Amino acid sequence: MMRTAFVIGVLASLFAGSAGAQTSFPTRTVKIVVPFPGGGINDVLARIIGDKLQAKWGQPVVIENKTGAGGNIGADLAYQAEGDGYTLLLSPPGPLAVNQTLYRQISYKPQEFVPITVVGSVPNVVIVRKELPVKSLRELIDYVGKNPGGVTFGSQGNGATPHLTAMMFQGMTGTQMVHVPYRGETFVLNDMLGGHVDVFFGNIAGAMAPYRDGGVTFLALCDTHRSAALSEIPTTAEAGLPGLVSTAWFALAAPPKTPPPLVSAVAKAAIEAIKTPEVQARFRAANVEPIGNSPAEALAFIRDETERWGAVIRKNNIVVD
């Protein structure tokens, strides 16, 4: 009995020590790397979540914007970090699901990141300049078909989600448009307002203001369900083009080899933050739909996105050096 009591005591001590180690995280500053500039939706979401995690953990959470090369520079910074939870990546699809197929060479392996949660998503929408003589997605398809090479579409550059969505649209409809790359979505929308570019498969977060002002026309939402903020806009399936689904999403991930218990602990804190009414309201005010799924669900989702966009890139021979 004394031996049994001793073994139980040792096990209890080990368990308590293990639990203490898990609950002690973090004991210092946590850094969230955002691979795109400050002020964009990626940066905004990181700061909303960072504020909540800082309050929950009682430790500073800082946002580091490390930009360049389609998000690859920031992703590489996070990839090279220790898997100790103190450096995390909050990223849109590019670095986690697109760039590995798009770029000839990148310095990190996206599949080795450890997904924590998809924090939210923003559906893309089929946008046309207001002077374009179309009022529906079907009319746009007919118009582009009758004017091969005579319709322009804008994007933030080769491999950006709006560019890939346009390529998907052309493949589905057998049409051909002319790609006009820009340095950012603001430049695309400004040229649409000036009548210089015809079509943009941009996200609703950036395009909502000119749409509400009557400067551009929304034809269809590239999602499987309507948006609460745009209940008047049909989905692409409702508009006659099922399969044209394109969302900008943002996922929190950890460097390779981050231990599962630590991933679970960070995920629990992040998901709890995302589920709070305050964060949900702030996300939706930015036209972002909060998600907050589990690490396993995030992993499956990112794998599906990698396959889907990889197929579009390979089919259209899109390469960025």
Side-chain angles (χ1 to χ4, degrees):
M1 289 182 64
M2 289 179 63
R3 184 175 181 180
T4 301
F6 173 76
V7 171
I8 292 173
V10 169
L11 291 174
S13 176
L14 289 172
F15 178 79
S18 174
Q22 291 184 23
T23 56
S24 66
F25 175 86
T27 59
R28 54 185 170 88
T29 299
V30 175
K31 176 171 64 180
I32 299 178
V33 177
V34 172
F36 289 94
I41 194 65
N42 192 172
D43 179 71
V44 169
L45 298 183
R47 294 181 189 279
I48 292 173
I49 292 172
D51 287 347
K52 275 293 182 184
L53 291 178
Q54 180 168 290
K56 182 178 183 63
W57 286 334
Q59 294 291 341
V61 176
V62 300
I63 309 303
E64 181 172 348
N65 300 94
K66 195 72 172 179
T67 66
N72 288 334
I73 292 177
D76 183 65
L77 175 67
Y79 179 84
Q80 300 296 339
E82 292 294 325
D84 56 9
Y86 289 98
T87 299
L88 305 171
L89 175 72
L90 184 59
S91 173
L96 292 174
V98 175
N99 293 357
Q100 62 205 77
T101 311
L102 178 66
Y103 283 77
R104 291 190 189 278
Q105 185 174 358
I106 57 177
S107 57
Y108 61 97
K109 297 179 180 179
Q111 68 273 18
E112 292 185 358
F113 276 108
V114 183
I116 294 172
T117 185
V118 178
V119 304
S121 68
V122 185
N124 289 313
V125 62
V126 185
I127 310 166
V128 298
R129 61 180 177 89
K130 65 179 181 180
E131 300 87 359
L132 203 70
V134 300
K135 298 298 180 185
S136 69
L137 185 60
R138 184 71 260 171
E139 288 182 5
L140 175 64
I141 295 169
D142 292 341
Y143 183 83
V144 177
K146 292 174 182 176
N147 297 276
V151 177
T152 58
F153 74 90
S155 84
Q156 299 94 317
N158 284 339
T161 303
H163 175 222
L164 299 181
T165 307
M167 301 307 290
M168 186 190 299
F169 170 85
Q170 290 179 143
M172 289 179 173
T173 59
T175 57
Q176 182 180 1
M177 299 183 289
V178 176
H179 180 207
V180 183
Y182 290 80
R183 290 184 292 113
E185 67 178 349
T186 301
F187 299 101
V188 182
L189 291 166
N190 284 344
D191 260 13
M192 292 195 84
L193 295 173
H196 304 303
V197 66
D198 299 315
V199 183
F200 181 38
F201 296 85
N203 68 67
I204 62 172
M208 187 67 82
Y211 167 69
R212 294 298 189 204
D213 291 340
V216 298
T217 302
F218 284 3
L219 299 183
L221 197 70
C222 302
D223 206 346
T224 56
H225 57 277
R226 293 198 183 199
S227 166
L230 285 171
S231 58
E232 72 276 18
I233 303 300
T235 66
T236 46
E238 292 172 327
L241 196 60
L244 186 66
V245 176
S246 172
T247 61
W249 46 266
F250 302 88
L252 190 66
K257 299 180 181 178
T258 302
L262 184 54
V263 172
S264 296
V266 175
K268 182 175 184 294
I271 293 167
E272 286 176 355
I274 295 165
K275 300 298 184 184
T276 61
E278 177 193 347
V279 169
Q280 299 245 323
R282 292 179 69 183
F283 271 38
R284 291 192 171 112
N287 297 301
V288 176
E289 186 60 27
I291 296 179
N293 55 9
S294 70
E297 291 168 332
L299 175 61
F301 174 80
I302 292 171
R303 282 178 174 170
D304 287 346
E305 287 285 285
T306 301
E307 287 299 316
R308 190 157 65 90
W309 291 121
V312 173
I313 292 166
R314 288 187 292 269
K315 180 180 178 181
N316 292 281
N317 297 312
I318 305 169
V319 177
V320 176
D321 292 317

